[in-house]
Amino acid sequence: MSDILLLCWEFFKIGLFAIGGGMATIPFLAKVAQSHPEWYTLEMLADMVAVSESTPGPIGVNMATYAGFLVGGVLGAVLATLALVLPSFILASLVASGLSRYKENSHVLSAFNGIRPAVTGLIGAAFYAVFKIAVFPDGALNILSLALFFLVLLVSMLKKTQKLHVALYIALAALMGIALKL
Amino acid sequence: MLFQLFGAFFRIGLFTFGGGYSMLPMLEAEVVKKHAWATTDELLDYFALGQCMPGLIAANVAVLIGYRQKKLKGAFFSMLGVVLPSLIIITLIAAALKNFAHLPLVQHAFRGIRAAVAALIFGAFIKLFKANVLSALKPAQGKIEKGIKRHLQLFLPPALCLCAFILITFSPISPVYIVLGAAFLGLFFLRGCEI
């Protein structure tokens, strides 16, 4: 039970500080994987990202449900998700009730001028962590994984592929993984 | 009314793939066209507001719109609606994967998937880097500050990005403190500059 309380606290913090959309939750979830390796590993986190990107629902909510399920089953999934959106419920209700003219507040705008570049760096770090486990799966460089990484990167950056769905890349990469016996 | 809010946001959660901007068309269909809870302009304002507040964008927008209709109860039911599809679908998938994770076929598939996920996160990073860091290096529109303030506006955003990367990668510090620290630096040194 104390595990689940700790889990709720971690996800409440993520809901409060992961600013800027679903991807921003990844660096926080990666830190949790490092401090609680008994909950889930970085490998499992990469799998969570894949499932969350290619199923319905906002990524951030999907990630919380998945991580919560790994830690505490169905109860863990429900509590982690609710803990994640609790800060939104409190803060957005305050803003909607007009307690502060939030958006025009110049303090808020200048704080976000600092937050946005920092969050960019956090997501860069999340990329580095996932890249390491994807391309160095057993501690040694896997050339095929590296090639697959560059292939997906190049194809996804082409102009013509911008409208393709992420799930398509993930499905093709799964097939490649099976075909190449990665 | 509460049930309508719940139902509308349940459908929005169900038909949103990804997050962020991908939920806008569905929001417009439900909130503007079907129920007339807001105009398109108001919806875009809520969306912009939801993006620059703590919390997930989808949950923020649901609470903002729900609260405007039926106060706290409306906010609660909208929020519940938007997270419920994820809760059901992801729990089923996670439970299924748990049973198949040991199969060699599934393990090979996931090793391939991880390489793709790394590429997708890198793509997201590049987009954010262009929007939040590189754009700060161009002269801002409107008034351009002189002297030390201009230098801070130029160099602080890339420095914050680099520091966040290094601190999170090489130290056990929580991202919470990095976000708080960056907010304070922005508050004091990046006043009034459009990034």
Side-chain angles (χ1 to χ4, degrees):
Chain A
M1 191 62 208
S2 67
D3 246 20
I4 292 196
L5 281 181
L6 198 59
L7 179 81
C8 288
W9 172 236
E10 289 292 346
F11 277 88
F12 180 79
K13 281 194 292 186
I14 295 175
L16 198 52
F17 289 101
I19 299 166
M23 280 285 178
T25 61
I26 301 175
F28 290 83
L29 291 167
K31 260 312 183 228
V32 172
Q34 282 157 6
S35 52
H36 298 280
E38 76 280 9
W39 284 359
Y40 55 86
T41 60
L42 277 175
E43 281 85 356
M44 290 154 100
L45 177 67
D47 305 346
M48 273 187 235
V49 178
V51 171
S52 302
E53 288 253 32
S54 41
T55 49
I59 302 175
V61 181
N62 290 353
M63 300 277 289
T65 303
Y66 204 129
F69 181 84
L70 290 177
V71 180
V74 176
L75 182 67
V78 173
L79 291 179
T81 307
L82 291 181
L84 181 82
V85 293
L86 187 60
S88 293
F89 181 65
I90 298 169
L91 292 173
S93 293
L94 284 175
V95 170
S97 69
L99 279 184
S100 61
R101 298 184 63 76
Y102 184 86
K103 188 89 197 305
E104 289 95 61
N105 188 319
S106 72
H107 298 296
V108 171
L109 291 178
S110 8
F112 270 92
N113 284 339
I115 291 174
R116 276 191 298 260
V119 167
T120 306
L122 291 183
I123 291 177
F127 155 70
Y128 180 66
V130 171
F131 179 78
K132 269 196 307 193
I133 60 129
V135 175
F136 298 83
D138 309 302
L141 173 70
N142 186 322
I143 296 283
L144 289 176
S145 297
L146 187 65
L148 187 54
F149 166 78
F150 278 114
L151 184 69
V152 176
L153 188 63
L154 284 176
V155 173
S156 66
M157 283 190 158
L158 295 177
K159 265 223 167 67
K160 282 189 179 167
T161 58
Q162 291 307 309
K163 291 213 166 126
L164 293 182
H165 197 272
V166 170
L168 190 67
Y169 294 112
I170 290 176
L172 288 177
L175 289 178
M176 299 276 276
I178 294 169
L180 298 171
K181 289 202 182 297
L182 280 178
Chain B
M1 180 68 175
L2 289 178
F3 191 72
Q4 280 185 338
L5 281 168
F6 175 82
F9 278 97
F10 186 88
R11 284 189 294 275
I12 292 168
L14 189 59
F15 293 111
T16 295
F17 275 85
Y21 285 101
S22 59
M23 70 183 292
L24 257 182
M26 200 54 208
L27 267 174
E28 198 181 10
E30 289 286 339
V31 172
V32 179
K33 292 193 183 127
K34 195 165 171 192
H35 295 289
W37 289 324
T39 65
T40 302
D41 282 348
E42 283 172 330
L43 179 66
L44 287 177
D45 281 349
Y46 288 140
F47 196 79
L49 189 58
Q51 272 187 310
C52 62
M53 287 176 57
L56 296 182
I57 302 173
N60 287 344
V61 174
V63 170
L64 286 171
I65 293 170
Y67 191 94
R68 276 279 304 266
Q69 295 305 316
K70 278 276 167 222
K71 302 283 181 224
L72 279 179
K73 268 192 224 157
F76 183 75
F77 276 88
S78 304
M79 187 187 75
L80 216 56
V82 88
V83 300
L84 202 59
S86 294
L87 258 176
I88 298 169
I89 295 168
I90 296 289
T91 302
L92 290 176
I93 293 178
L97 279 180
K98 217 175 171 180
N99 294 326
F100 298 117
H102 63 280
L103 297 175
L105 196 71
V106 176
Q107 288 181 351
H108 289 311
F110 270 105
R111 284 196 167 194
I113 287 173
R114 283 171 207 152
V117 168
L120 295 172
I121 300 179
F122 190 70
F125 166 72
I126 293 293
K127 262 190 209 144
L128 287 172
F129 192 79
K130 278 187 196 157
N132 298 334
V133 181
L134 285 187
S135 65
L137 296 174
K138 290 184 210 139
Q141 291 169 351
K143 126 174 138 159
I144 295 171
E145 299 288 342
K146 293 253 160 58
I148 185 81
K149 195 166 174 201
R150 178 74 193 135
H151 284 105
L152 274 174
Q153 289 183 1
L154 276 177
F155 295 115
L156 195 53
L160 281 171
C161 177
L162 188 66
C163 286
F165 178 86
I166 291 174
L167 281 174
I168 220 64
T169 304
F170 299 108
S171 84
I173 189 172
S174 160
V176 169
Y177 300 109
I178 295 173
V179 171
L180 281 178
F184 273 106
L185 287 171
L187 206 50
F188 289 112
F189 298 115
L190 295 172
R191 189 153 280 279
C193 62
E194 280 306 311
I195 292 182

